[in-house]
């Protein structure tokens, strides 16, 4: 079957006329790149790319997307000229649409033109990132993890001819250095990952990298000079992203083939809902995202805290407890009244009291909508997908809530249940009905080693609480928190 591409796109125009398919309203071949995006996975394609496409006017805000290690996306989108279909599933879904705003697809490790040279280009005014929590190489204190072998390699070989940085932060700093040398002017770097204060976090990591650059005899303070230039010319807006985008399945690709009459290896599936709250602090302009429904504000912090602690916190609780109970998808878990009730309690009793929202924000309505979105049966969002990278996600979406509640003298019962379910997921590695549960986590080896040979609840809890990358000292030694965990682990193991 013929592949979706710039050449076959005109064949779809008739269908678009009938309203059962949308195609770009502009000529993708004419759009030039203004944004470099690192991490061009399904989430970016279903979220930021769509917002950007929806507000294109006569400015060049085409996207050059980089993948990191895997070249799968290059194989999927390269032959398609960057085109792909977005398929919404669930109540209120819009017709499928072909998205054309992604104009270049490159591999950070294999392409002739790496991220550093691409972002130094004068036409590029914005760099966006969805590289997941682990892509930042931050330590538990949010600072650059200088013990990370990738970070060490990037620092040591930074200025060597032809060296290609392997970490995202190394790539950004190398690009900023080139941009400074070529005098190509200001730039904004915007994280779109689920981190706390993601703009501030990214800025700190970039400056940490500069500060750690080894000095050269002929350039004694190159890190300090670069940091000074970054302070003056580069902004780091924070942003809160929200849309449920499960990994694309073979069945989704088959659906795309049926819908388009063409093969689309790059199709992405998403819920109808999408939200983007952006700190309006751009050093070199930005697309008019507000015309596509984004909220531009001076302070994203309240929205960020609400999203991470309510939605992502509840998501993780459902993922770990649900996977242990033998459920395949998040929708199946929320159909279980007991587990849905636990998610509801986590939001209402543990997380909500830690939030201070703008007066017009409907906190109760938000919690209801979160559970409704999770219940979308058409998404097939797998529990093990949400369960991945727990060591990176827990501190952000659950432990911050626990810390705030403990400080207020309260017992974070439901957060402790979520954390305990993660511990049992790690320690037992199988569901209640004996099916293996994949431990997909950058710390997997350390986690497994920690719990190996331990079966008593207190032993499991203490072994995992001792992992400083996950639990900072204050929580690890908190007797109330530990007791709650042991209690939950004991019941879950039973
Ligand atoms: C999920 C998120 O995989 C996960 O950990 O909690 O990806 C979630 O679907 C998004 O943040 C929703 O905006």
């Amino acid at each position: 079957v013929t592949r979706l591409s710039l050449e076959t796109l005109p064949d779809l125009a008739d269908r678009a006329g009938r309203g059962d398919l949308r195609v770009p309203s502009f000529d993708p071949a004419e759009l030039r790149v203004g944004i470099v995006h690192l991490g061009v996975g399904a989430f970016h394609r279903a979220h930021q790319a769509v917002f950007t496409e929806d507000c294109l006017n006569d400015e060049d805000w085409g996207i050059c997307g980089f993948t990191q290690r895997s070249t799968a996306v290059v194989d999927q989108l390269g032959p398609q000229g960057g085109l792909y279909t977005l398929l919404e599933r669930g109540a209120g879904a819009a017709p499928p649409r072909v998205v054309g705003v992604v104009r270049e697809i490159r591999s950070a490790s294999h392409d002739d033109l790496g991220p550093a040279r691409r972002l130094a280009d004068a036409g590029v005014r914005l760099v966006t990132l969805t590289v997941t929590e682990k892509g930042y190489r931050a330590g538990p204190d949010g600072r650059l993890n200088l013990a990370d072998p990738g970070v060490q390699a990037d620092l040591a070989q930074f200025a060597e001819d032809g060296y290609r940085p392997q970490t995202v932060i190394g790539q950004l700093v190398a690009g900023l250095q080139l941009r400074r040398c070529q005098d190509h002017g200001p730039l904004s770097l915007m994280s779109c990952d689920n981190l706390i204060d993601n703009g501030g976090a990214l800025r700190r990591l970039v400056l940490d990298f500069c500060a750690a650059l080894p000095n050269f005899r002929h350039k004694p303070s190159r890190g300090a000079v670069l940091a000074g230039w970054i302070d003056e010319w580069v902004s780091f807006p924070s942003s809160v992203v929200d849309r449920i985008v499960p990994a694309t399945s073979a069945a989704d690709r088959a659906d795309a083939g049926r819908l388009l009459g063409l093969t689309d290896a790059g199709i992405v599936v998403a819920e109808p809902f999408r939200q983007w709250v952006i700190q309006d602090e751009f050093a070199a302009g930005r697309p008019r995202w507000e015309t596509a429904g984004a909220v531009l504000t001076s302070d994203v912090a309240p929205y960020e805290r609400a999203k991470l602690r309510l939605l992502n916190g509840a998501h993780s609780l459902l993922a770990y407890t649900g996977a242990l109970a033998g459920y395949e998808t998040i929708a199946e878990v929320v159909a279980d009244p007991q587990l849905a009730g636990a998610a509801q309690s986590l939001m209402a009793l543990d997380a909500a009291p830690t939030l201070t929202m703008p007066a017009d924000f409907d906190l109760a309505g938000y919690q209801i909508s979160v559970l409704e979105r999770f219940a979308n049966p058409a998404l097939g969002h797998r529990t093990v997908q949400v369960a991945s990278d727990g060591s990176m996600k827990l501190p952000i979406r659950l432990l911050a809530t626990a810390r705030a509640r403990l400080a207020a003298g309260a017992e974070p019962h439901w957060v402790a249940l979520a954390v305990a379910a993660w511990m049992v997921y790690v320690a037992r590695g199988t569901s209640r009905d004996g099916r293996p549960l994949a431990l997909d986590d950058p710390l997997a080896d350390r986690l497994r080693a920690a719990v190996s040979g331990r079966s008593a609840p207190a032993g499991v809890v203490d072994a995992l609480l001792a992992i400083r990358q996950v639990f900072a000292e204050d929580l690890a030694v908190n007797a109330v928190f530990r007791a709650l965990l042991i209690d939950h682990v004991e019941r879950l193991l039973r």
Side-chain angles (χ1 to χ4, degrees), residues 43 194 241-244 307 311-312 315 373 381 385-386 393 397:
F43 184 74
N194 288 321
V241 294
D242 192 4
R243 184 166 215 179
I244 297 175
K307 198 258 171 173
L311 185 147
N312 294 114
H315 224 182
R373 290 168 57 200
H381 200 191
Q385 188 189 346
V386 180
K393 291 173 176 172
R397 48 179 74 180

Side-chain angles (χ1 to χ4, degrees), residues 134-207:
K134 62 175 177 272
Y136 290 83
R137 311 292 170 100
D141 56 355
R143 309 308 296 244
L144 189 62
N145 181 4
L146 297 173
D148 181 286
V151 172
Q152 289 181 347
D154 283 357
L155 284 166
Q157 295 166 75
F158 186 67
E160 276 175 26
D161 266 353
Y163 179 70
R164 193 61 81 75
Q166 52 180 289
T167 68
V168 167
I169 301 298
Q171 291 161 3
L172 292 175
V173 176
L176 293 172
Q177 165 84 330
L178 266 182
R179 197 170 175 96
R180 182 179 84 85
C181 293
Q182 297 172 356
D183 205 9
H184 281 166
L187 187 70
S188 310
L189 308 189
M190 176 163 62
S191 165
C192 301
D193 282 295
N194 288 321
L195 307 181
I196 296 168
D197 180 25
N198 57 12
L202 179 59
R203 180 170 179 279
R204 266 192 308 278
L205 293 167
V206 161
L207 293 177

Side-chain angles (χ1 to χ4, degrees), residues 87-382:
L87 189 58
E88 293 185 2
R89 291 197 201 269
R97 63 184 286 187
V98 175
V99 180
V101 72
V102 177
R103 297 318 321 131
E104 293 173 22
I105 282 287
R106 300 177 184 278
S107 151
S109 44
H110 292 86
D111 201 281
D112 288 344
L113 193 58
R117 276 176 54 207
R118 195 68 191 86
L119 79 82
D121 184 283
V124 171
R125 288 172 288 158
L126 173 60
V127 178
T128 53
L129 287 83
T130 49
V131 296
T132 79
E133 296 85 348
K134 62 175 177 272
Y136 290 83
R137 311 292 170 100
D141 56 355
R143 309 308 296 244
L144 189 62
N145 181 4
L146 297 173
D148 181 286
V151 172
Q152 289 181 347
D154 283 357
L155 284 166
Q157 295 166 75
F158 186 67
E160 276 175 26
D161 266 353
Y163 179 70
R164 193 61 81 75
Q166 52 180 289
T167 68
V168 167
I169 301 298
Q171 291 161 3
L172 292 175
V173 176
L176 293 172
Q177 165 84 330
L178 266 182
R179 197 170 175 96
R180 182 179 84 85
C181 293
Q182 297 172 356
D183 205 9
H184 281 166
L187 187 70
S188 310
L189 308 189
M190 176 163 62
S191 165
C192 301
D193 282 295
N194 288 321
L195 307 181
I196 296 168
D197 180 25
N198 57 12
L202 179 59
R203 180 170 179 279
R204 266 192 308 278
L205 293 167
V206 161
L207 293 177
D208 282 350
F209 189 96
C210 293
L213 275 172
N215 282 331
F216 278 168
R217 227 170 320 143
H218 52 290
K219 283 184 194 158
S221 56
R222 75 188 156 147
V225 172
L226 180 56
W229 183 86
I230 291 171
D231 259 340
E232 189 169 349
W233 294 100
V234 183
S235 74
F236 296 85
S238 284
S239 85
V240 190
V241 294
D242 192 4
R243 184 166 215 179
I244 297 175
V245 185
T248 307
S249 69
D252 298 329
R253 294 205 180 88
D255 283 352
R258 266 192 301 279
L259 282 164
L260 300 176
L262 296 170
T263 301
D264 178 1
I267 183 181
V268 291
V269 168
E271 64 172 336
F273 178 91
R274 65 178 206 210
Q275 188 181 55
W276 200 4
V277 185
I278 302 168
Q279 183 187 13
D280 200 358
E281 216 159 275
F282 290 82
R286 59 165 174 83
R288 289 163 38 84
W289 287 306
E290 60 273 40
T291 62
V295 175
L296 277 294
T297 170
S298 59
D299 183 14
V300 307
Y303 301 96
E304 171 202 280
R305 224 164 277 149
K307 198 258 171 173
L308 295 174
R309 295 186 185 183
L310 296 169
L311 185 147
N312 294 114
H315 224 182
S316 288
L317 178 138
L318 293 167
Y320 297 117
T321 56
L324 290 173
Y327 295 119
E328 283 278 330
T329 67
I330 296 289
E332 288 171 53
V333 189
V334 285
D336 179 318
Q338 199 189 348
L339 297 182
Q344 214 167 7
S345 301
L346 178 138
M347 290 194 280
L349 304 179
D350 288 353
T354 70
L355 304 172
T356 313
M357 299 306 292
D360 61 347
F361 190 94
D362 177 5
L363 202 49
Y366 183 86
Q367 295 167 53
I368 293 169
S369 75
V370 162
L371 286 179
E372 281 170 3
R373 290 168 57 200
F374 289 167
N376 183 340
L379 282 178
H381 200 191
R382 298 179 61 234

